[in-house]
Amino acid sequence: MANTIFKLNPQNKVLYAVGLFCLMLLVQKGAATQFTVGGSKGWSVPSSTDVHFNQWAENNRFQIGDSILFNYQPDQDSVLQVNQDSYNNCNTDSYQQKYTDGHTVVQLPQSGPFYFISGNKDNCQKNEKMVVIVLADRSNSSQNTNTTTSPPPSGSTDITPSPAPAGEESPSPPPTGEETPAPVSETPPPPPSGASSIFISSVTTLGAFTASSLYFLL
């Protein structure tokens, strides 16, 4: 019965794959963070006691895939995404994107700086402007950095001598008058031939006979 429950026909397999893909997208989306610009006060001209938007941005860590939420009065303000030059000069005539809906969500798809100013030039000149720095993805570089050279095999016996330290001379060869002793041959001498054995045996027998004869003569 268990085999029957988990047996999928081709149509169910397609539905299962689609459902798994959607689940993966939800998990990936859930890992991103949405930051509300300016906290509860939202996107407005900061007062003398408020934390400026750049200070707020510096206190947060923005990753690729995160988003920022601008809350403001749509009939009184707007958000412009601009380049650095327009940001520095509060140039509201040149922008990359303009948002006026009052509840603007801006995605941060890549690393680097993102520049935002108020669509009201007077507000921008009163520090209603912000730079968001998105951190780079360092997962790949960390893996490359952690790669180390493997040590030589334990069975290796090749040792490269280190050079002599600076200021010291390398050891000189032995004097020419001293000779290096020749290596002793480990090859055993060949066994005596049959004729040599007979000759040695005869000489030994003759010596013994001569000695015994001299003993009796003495």
Side-chain angles (χ1 to χ4, degrees), residues 144-183:
N144 294 334
T145 305
N146 292 334
T147 304
T148 57
T149 305
S150 58
S154 57
S156 175
T157 57
D158 294 337
I159 301 177
T160 304
S162 58
E168 297 185 10
E169 297 182 356
S170 301
S172 57
T176 54
E178 297 181 7
E179 296 183 357
T180 303

Side-chain angles (χ1 to χ4, degrees), residues 138-148:
R138 301 194 178 276
S139 59
N140 293 332
S141 61
S142 298
Q143 293 175 0
N144 294 334
T145 305
N146 292 334
T147 304
T148 57

Side-chain angles (χ1 to χ4, degrees), residues 209-218:
F209 176 76
T210 304
S212 59
S213 301
L214 291 175
Y215 175 80
F216 285 111
L217 289 175
L218 295 175

Side-chain angles (χ1 to χ4, degrees), residues 64-75:
I64 297 174
D66 290 345
S67 61
I68 51 178
L69 169 63
F70 294 86
N71 288 320
Y72 53 94
Q73 295 296 327
D75 56 341

